[in-house]
């Protein structure tokens, strides 16, 4: 089966930096996604990594190491609005594109304290 | 504005009743998906459709049915055969390249069985 692990909950302080890790063991790999989901709302796309290395997008960065089956999401200059769940998802090697081969982790609930 | 509309936002159902959740999109996306989200669990794929008049079972299709008669619409019926239907249901789409794997989500429908 497919296995994606993330911490269940993390707490950080406003203005600080936090790193949310995601490790995966899957039968295929065609990219890794991070989504943000505020309570009771729809997930929104943050980043997509398919090659090793760091992708930076403003205050958010995402890193991938395919050989280690590991990714992290780095959030800088934390704001109260960053309190949300962060979902890691792996796209398996399905043909035809689309998202039918996407497997989600259980999500990390991030709490930002003043 | 382009987007995905899910209705109703909240729905209560008695045991033994079928209910239909609506999902309408004006993004002109070909592929549409239904996910189920339970507390402490990752998103799980129920059904997906890549073109009109065609759909495929996801990982947890038992007790659910769908139709795709129009490109814009992908309703989900939760039947009485679904043993534990209380959950948050998310409809999503994916577009064409680039970004064909990036999911855009609707705001969700929360179903509670009384």
């Amino acid at each position: 089966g497919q296995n994606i692990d993330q911490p269940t909950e993390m707490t950080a302080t406003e203005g600080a930096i936090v790193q949310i890790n995601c490790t995966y063991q899957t039968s295929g790999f065609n990219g890794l996604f991070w989504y943000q989901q505020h309570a009771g709302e729809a997930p929104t796309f943050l980043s997509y990594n398919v090659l090793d290395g760091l992708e930076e997008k403003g205050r958010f960065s995402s890193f991938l190491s395919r050989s280690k089956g590991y990714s992290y999401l780095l959030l800088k200059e934390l704001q109260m609005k960053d309190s949300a769940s962060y979902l890691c998802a792996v796209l398996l090697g399905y043909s035809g594109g689309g998202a039918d081969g996407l497997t989600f982790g259980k999500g990390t609930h991030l709490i930002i304290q003043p | 504005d382009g987007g995905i509309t899910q209705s109703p936002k909240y729905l209560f159902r008695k045991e033994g009743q079928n209910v239909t959740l609506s999902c309408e999109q004006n993004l002109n996306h070909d592929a549409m998906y239904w996910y189920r989200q339970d507390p402490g669990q990752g998103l799980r794929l129920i059904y997906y459709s890549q073109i009109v008049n065609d759909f495929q079972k996801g990982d947890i299709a038992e007790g659910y049915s769908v139709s795709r008669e129009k490109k814009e619409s992908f309703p989900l019926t939760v039947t009485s055969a679904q043993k534990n239907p209380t959950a948050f249901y998310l409809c999503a789409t994916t577009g064409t390249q680039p970004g064909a794997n990036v999911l855009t989500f609707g705001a969700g429908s929360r179903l509670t069985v009384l």
Side-chain angles (χ1 to χ4, degrees):
Chain A
Q2 320 302 337
N3 194 38
I4 301 175
D5 287 319
Q6 311 177 229
T8 302
E9 186 173 285
M10 299 181 70
T11 302
T13 304
E14 190 177 15
I17 299 173
V18 70
Q19 178 175 310
I20 303 173
N21 295 327
C22 172
T23 58
Y24 62 90
Q25 297 97 35
T26 58
S27 57
F29 182 84
N30 207 21
L32 187 142
F33 293 80
W34 285 96
Y35 285 84
Q36 180 190 59
Q37 185 179 23
H38 288 99
E41 298 183 10
T44 55
F45 170 75
L46 289 178
S47 67
Y48 170 58
N49 294 68
V50 65
L51 300 176
D52 289 351
L54 187 68
E55 297 271 349
E56 296 187 76
K57 215 186 264 188
R59 294 190 299 116
F60 291 10
S61 302
S62 56
F63 172 83
L64 176 67
S65 169
R66 289 172 297 171
S67 62
K68 295 182 179 178
Y70 168 68
S71 173
Y72 67 73
L73 181 69
L74 191 72
L75 291 73
K76 303 176 186 175
E77 300 169 15
L78 286 169
Q79 302 174 9
M80 297 302 293
K81 68 178 182 180
D82 296 330
S83 291
S85 287
Y86 291 85
L87 314 180
C88 173
V90 172
L91 185 64
L92 305 179
Y94 285 35
S95 62
D100 53 288
L102 198 62
T103 298
F104 283 84
K106 295 181 180 181
T108 299
H109 182 211
L110 177 64
I111 301 167
I112 309 298
Q113 296 178 335
Chain B
D1 286 353
I4 302 170
T5 302
Q6 288 188 241
S7 62
K9 191 168 177 64
Y10 299 96
L11 183 61
F12 297 88
R13 182 194 101 173
K14 292 182 180 178
E15 282 193 24
Q17 288 181 335
N18 291 357
V19 293
T20 297
L21 308 180
S22 170
C23 178
E24 301 281 332
Q25 57 109 350
N26 60 5
L27 299 168
N28 199 32
H29 284 175
D30 287 313
M32 299 186 73
Y33 309 80
W34 275 105
Y35 287 92
R36 171 182 172 139
Q37 187 173 37
D38 295 282
Q41 298 228 22
L43 297 180
R44 292 182 289 170
L45 183 63
I46 304 172
Y47 268 99
Y48 65 99
S49 167
Q50 293 181 323
I51 56 172
V52 175
N53 292 323
D54 187 50
F55 48 83
Q56 307 295 329
K57 292 182 179 180
D59 300 319
I60 55 165
E62 186 175 350
Y64 299 97
S65 66
V66 293
S67 62
R68 187 85 186 276
E69 298 176 2
K70 300 185 300 181
K71 186 175 183 177
E72 301 79 16
S73 179
F74 191 41
L76 174 74
T77 296
V78 184
T79 75
S80 56
Q82 170 48 237
K83 293 179 181 160
N84 187 18
T86 294
F88 188 48
Y89 291 88
L90 287 159
C91 177
T93 67
T94 52
T96 54
Q97 294 285 359
N101 299 320
V102 177
L103 288 160
T104 299
F105 288 90
S109 292
R110 188 167 297 279
L111 172 63
T112 302
V113 173
L114 303 173

